[in-house]
Amino acid sequence: MTKQILKISGMTCDGCVKSVTRVLERVEGVEGVTVSLEAETASVNVGEGVEVGALVDAVERAGFEATAEG
């Protein structure tokens, strides 16, 4: 398992946090998600073979901007 940090833009409330969390949890291979409204980040624990592009795509399909950090 590895941790991937995403920078998320466009979140304005707890509902946004819940939406981002939900879409990331639905990506196959994701094993845990923590989203911070204040830091505008998502910390995603992923299994082997999960590509960061799949995480970014999921967030962007939900209407937010996402970029991988580090």
Side-chain angles (χ1 to χ4, degrees), residues 6-48:
L6 300 177
K7 183 72 174 168
I8 311 290
S9 300
M11 296 188 299
T12 59
C13 64
D14 287 336
C16 295
V17 170
K18 290 177 185 175
S19 293
V20 170
T21 301
R22 187 171 42 251
V23 298
L24 287 170
E25 288 175 338
R26 290 181 181 160
V27 175
E28 187 174 337
V30 169
E31 300 175 10
V33 177
T34 303
V35 179
S36 170
L37 178 61
E38 295 79 19
E40 297 183 326
T41 60
S43 175
V44 187
N45 294 322
V46 296
E48 188 175 322

Side-chain angles (χ1 to χ4, degrees), residues 40-62:
E40 297 183 326
T41 60
S43 175
V44 187
N45 294 322
V46 296
E48 188 175 322
V50 177
E51 296 187 16
V52 69
L55 304 175
V56 170
D57 288 347
V59 172
E60 291 183 345
R61 280 194 309 270

